[in-house]
Amino acid sequence: MQRGTATLTGERWGGEGRPVVLLHSGVTDRRSWYGVAEALEPATCVVAYDLRGYGQTSGATYGFSHLDDLNAVLDQVATGPVWLVGSSMGGEIAIDAALAAPERVAGLVLLAPAVSGAPEPSTFDADTDRLVRLWEAAQTSGDIDEINRIEMWLWLDGPSAPEGRVTGPARALALAMNAIALKNDIPEESGKSGMAAWPRLEEITVPVTVACGDLDLPFIVARSKQLADWLPQAQFTVLEGMAHLPYLEKPAVVAEVIRSAVS
């Protein structure tokens, strides 16, 4: 799909009906959803695409909005409201979309979402702080492979877990996806909507499921619980034994969370 100078690359699975649109995190791309999409089809229509700067999507990673890109995708795949499933950064986009155009959103499934306008933590727990310091040193040295290694320990394994807790194809895919994002050197504020959703959460009246792995960063677990408490129609689900990217670890479990929400 062409969007100005960018070509958005995406895929569609399953049958007809209201689509479920999957929005990936800032360290993955649409391939992270393959296991979930396969578990949901053929009964559910599923759409996933690479955000700008990720996967196979090409084009400028500045002077654009992920929210505008999402609305363009919705113009192509849906004629009515859709369910948005957002992980981390993708969750922020989904929340912004529900505020910007509520008529387009039937409901949300948010996996450890970022939230625009949310306060940043002033301190980290000891495990997270240790990895953040290693990450900062790797950033200073410019060692992309080392940055990737540390980020996967932080996000895939979880800061309190041993490095390599998640192994095999899931880890190989995670490293490959993040390598593309790191190579593209995406600016931190790239694609931001300019919205501040945190003080406006009570305006989101559609059904919301917030889920978070118990091995995720502690401040993200706490924020996810708080988010579910503040949203008018939300429920919170703990994903036991998983970290920030649970769909890479146990896609069937995440698919069931989505299925239960949209049914």
Side-chain angles (χ1 to χ4, degrees):
M1 174 183 171
Q2 198 68 31
R3 282 279 296 156
T5 61
T7 301
L8 304 182
T9 301
E11 296 179 65
R12 187 169 185 158
W13 299 263
E16 301 299 321
R18 177 174 289 161
V20 174
V21 179
L22 309 175
L23 299 166
H24 64 75
S25 76
V27 293
T28 59
D29 58 45
R30 76 184 192 280
R31 292 174 290 171
S32 63
W33 295 116
Y34 280 2
V36 171
E38 291 168 3
L40 288 173
E41 69 170 343
T44 306
C45 176
V46 181
V47 174
Y49 67 98
D50 293 332
L51 302 175
R52 290 203 208 195
Y54 298 87
Q56 293 180 304
T57 286
S58 62
T61 56
Y62 55 87
F64 78 102
S65 162
H66 286 308
L67 184 55
D68 290 343
D69 282 352
L70 171 60
N71 283 323
V73 170
L74 297 185
D75 288 341
Q76 293 289 317
V77 304
T79 57
V82 305
W83 276 85
L84 297 177
V85 178
S87 165
S88 193
M89 178 183 72
E92 178 178 323
I93 298 167
I95 293 168
D96 287 351
L99 287 169
E103 72 281 359
R104 306 198 78 166
V105 180
L108 303 173
V109 178
L110 305 172
L111 305 173
V115 185
S116 61
E120 293 295 327
S122 57
T123 59
F124 294 115
D125 64 282
D127 291 320
T128 300
D129 186 66
R130 173 172 51 89
L131 292 181
V132 167
R133 290 177 185 275
L134 290 173
W135 180 85
E136 289 173 343
Q139 286 279 358
T140 300
S141 68
D143 188 339
I144 291 180
D145 289 340
E146 179 68 358
I147 294 169
N148 199 358
R149 181 185 75 85
I150 295 166
E151 289 187 353
M152 287 306 100
W153 187 351
L154 186 70
W155 300 119
L156 183 63
D157 299 319
S160 65
E163 182 179 13
R165 180 185 66 82
V166 180
T167 61
R171 191 173 206 84
L173 176 60
L175 287 165
M177 291 186 291
N178 196 36
I180 295 173
L182 290 172
K183 180 181 178 182
N184 289 340
D185 194 21
I186 307 160
E188 186 175 352
E189 294 302 309
S190 179
K192 296 288 187 179
S193 68
M195 299 177 66
W198 188 255
R200 298 178 56 194
L201 293 174
E202 63 182 15
E203 298 175 33
I204 299 176
T205 58
V206 296
V208 181
T209 294
V210 183
C212 188
D214 60 357
L215 297 181
D216 207 337
L217 281 64
F219 90 86
I220 293 180
V221 176
R223 186 178 64 193
S224 296
K225 291 177 180 176
Q226 190 175 19
L227 179 65
D229 286 341
W230 286 3
L231 288 163
Q233 292 195 62
Q235 60 179 350
F236 181 72
T237 298
V238 175
L239 301 173
E240 295 183 359
M242 289 175 267
H244 197 64
L245 308 172
Y247 37 89
L248 286 176
E249 296 192 59
K250 297 182 180 179
V253 172
V254 174
E256 185 54 38
V257 171
I258 297 170
R259 188 181 295 110
S260 297
V262 306
S263 60

